[in-house]
Amino acid sequence: MPPRSDDPRRDATGSRRGSSRGSEPREPGIGGISDARAYTPRGRTVREGGGAEQRRTPRSNRSGDPFRPALQVLDGGRAGRAGTREPVTDGARSGRRSTAAGGRAGVVRTVSSRPVREPFDDDEDAPPPRRRSQPRRPAAQPRRPVRKPRRPPRLGDPRRRLRLGTVLALALFASIGVRLVYLQTVDTPAYADGGLPNRLAVVELPAPRGAILDRGGEPLAHSVEARYVFADPTRVKDRFATARLLSPLLGVPVSDLAEKMRKRTLPGTDTPLQFVYLARGVEIGAAKKIMALDLAGINVHRDERREVPGGDLAANLIGFVSQDMNGLEGLEAKYDDVLRGQAGKRTYEVGLGDLAAPIPGGYSRTTQPQPGSSLKLTVDRDLQFMTQRILAKQTAKVKGSVGAAVIIEVPSGEVLAQASQPTYDAANPTKVGSPADRDDAATTFVVDPGSIHKAITYGAALQEGVITPDTTFPVANTIVRGGVTFRDTHPADGRTMSIPGMLAYSSNVGTIEIAEKLGKDRLFDYQKRFGLGQATGEGMPGEAAGRLLPPDQWSGSAYGSVPIGHSVDATPLQMAAAYATIANNGTYVQPHLVKETIGADGERSPAAAPTTRSVLSPANAAALRQMMEAVTTVDGPDGPATGLAAAVPGYRVAGKTGTGLRYDGGKQQPGEVGSFIGMAPAENPRYVVAVFVWSPGGGGGAVAAPAFREMMGFTLRHYRVPPSLTNKSPKFEVFPR
């Protein structure tokens, strides 16, 4: 409520009432002390002149005074403000002015228009209000506008803060509740097993590596249970004393063992080394003796050792493994994924300290090991042994020689023996003079086959009708092609020779003339049909493919060199497979070493069927075999045939000798390669034997044929092949009249 103004009320004319001061002169007695009578405690007195005396009714009795409205009208027309707040009419105002005009009694003191609370409204005995002592402002001075009091600042509503706080608290508790439910339901297994790894012990269950067996099921290489010995250098008290105790049991020098047990850190770190192998593949008996010593920092664990019962038997074929049982060379490497098993493990819950034992009813899980599968080869262990022995004996006659021998069964194409010289002990693969000693010569020994290639040339000529078994023509001693002179070692002096005679004396001139009639394109085609120029896929890793000279790259001299086996690269196995084609009635059969795979459960899976293709007709193949018998039978006035030393007593043998060159890394090596490939019995071949011997000083041809004779003779007797009817052997005429 605004404060009461200190200025006196004005009448309708703008004059201040109740004050003697004003702009108009007043009569004596008006506006003086007499005006104060209007505010006596007992009521208000109206001057006479209006005709009637008006009294003010005390405020306490206003609501019950029936004459109050009339008195208020007479008192200035403020009845509406004092009580009923009725508006003042113009008549009342004019009546008031007329009274003032008529005389002194016309000036009437009126009640203030503001509903002022008088002191006597509530207490009639209260003293009247004190008048202001300061002088009044002149009437002409404008009234100062009343300033409204400044509104107090609005206080914040606490209900909004309470609502916001409640919402945040509920959201917090809701998120905590959801998280608790999630942890106790969804993540329960993870938290329940949180400390499990600290209580688990893991024991590896090794899976034995599969064995390599010969065709009869006899092991060529297999795994046996063993132990490995290891040391924790941080726990070894006296490494030299420990080494002296272990050396006789492990077969390792004391100095080597002491060095291994020397304390050191892991490379690039400050972490001390706590594990080092002392020996792998230790026999179980020796491992028990080591444990009985109870040496600090020394322990043993289950291991596997690869055993090769035959030592160097088929070592160049089998290959060897690392200490971790991973195949590194030979068939061990080629079929590592088949032979290698998948280790298992047993994980179980154990106690701590002195109670480090499986907890009954605790966590336990076992993954069973899956042993590797075994390979059953086509190799015959006994035949392999004799083949290696014969090859080693014959090559020993030639200094610094390298030999290879292959025996293939007809018609299956199975390789019964595949020997290399030199060889090595597969149980100790590092004890070799050169890493090349571990190579399989039959598949990696690339040679210039020489005259053994002539069988392919004659076979193609027969199949294409260029020649027949009865073909004869004069043969000169030499022939020139591309500026190169090719000559025969057994001169014909221009006489007419038969095809068997050309084979018996290995006529270069006669073979070149036949090849010219055949044509280079057809010869090249038959070379590929017989399997040259591409790896056989026998199963040995790193097999060489050899090389053929395409017809469009032939030079002038190639017309003379290619037909007789020069400018051609081949392996002993490729040439053996080509002769097996002739023995198998003209059908090529891919040579192969793997017979079947035997799973850990004993299930047998035969190897994929070998690739086959027809090269010669059976009749032409038979005719070629018969003509090739002249190589081992002709012994006339012009001298013996080149392969007479390869004849096997009691059996008809068809074959061919050869003298070629060796290439290593694309470079021709000094010396020569002597070879002989033959089949027996010639009338119905069962086996093909190929022998190659290289020597830097030559002389390989002098041992190849005798080696063939011994190998083929043993093979026929080993498999109990009945002797041939030698009285039915053909009689060949080298120089028909």
Side-chain angles (χ1 to χ4, degrees), residues 78-99:
R78 290 179 172 84
R81 294 179 179 272
T84 60
R85 295 186 178 276
E86 295 177 357
V88 179
T89 61
D90 294 336
R93 293 174 178 165
S94 62
R96 194 184 309 172
R97 285 193 299 268
S98 62
T99 305

Side-chain angles (χ1 to χ4, degrees), residues 278-408:
L278 298 182
R280 299 291 303 270
V282 179
E283 293 184 358
I284 297 177
K288 290 182 178 179
K289 294 179 181 179
I290 293 173
M291 291 302 296
L293 296 175
D294 194 20
L295 300 173
I298 305 300
N299 210 334
V300 301
H301 201 274
R302 191 182 188 280
D303 198 8
E304 183 179 354
R305 185 177 72 248
R306 198 68 167 171
E307 282 194 350
V308 184
D312 64 352
L313 183 65
N316 300 76
L317 287 178
I318 296 171
F320 59 92
V321 299
S322 66
Q323 291 184 341
D324 296 325
M325 293 292 119
N326 295 319
L328 298 181
E329 285 189 11
L331 296 176
E332 293 274 22
K334 175 72 173 183
Y335 296 96
D336 183 65
D337 56 340
V338 177
L339 295 168
R340 186 177 61 245
Q342 184 175 354
K345 65 179 179 179
R346 181 189 176 201
T347 306
Y348 56 92
E349 195 171 1
V350 297
L352 300 177
D354 297 335
L355 300 178
I359 299 177
Y363 176 86
S364 179
R365 177 178 296 177
T366 301
T367 302
Q368 295 298 333
Q370 298 179 4
S373 299
S374 298
L375 286 181
K376 188 174 184 179
L377 305 183
T378 61
V379 173
D380 186 319
R381 184 180 64 170
D382 295 336
L383 183 58
Q384 178 74 27
F385 172 78
M386 286 303 299
T387 302
Q388 288 186 209
R389 181 178 178 181
I390 294 169
L391 183 63
K393 182 182 68 173
Q394 294 295 336
T395 55
K397 298 176 181 179
V398 183
K399 185 178 180 180
S401 60
V402 175
V406 180
I407 300 178
I408 298 178

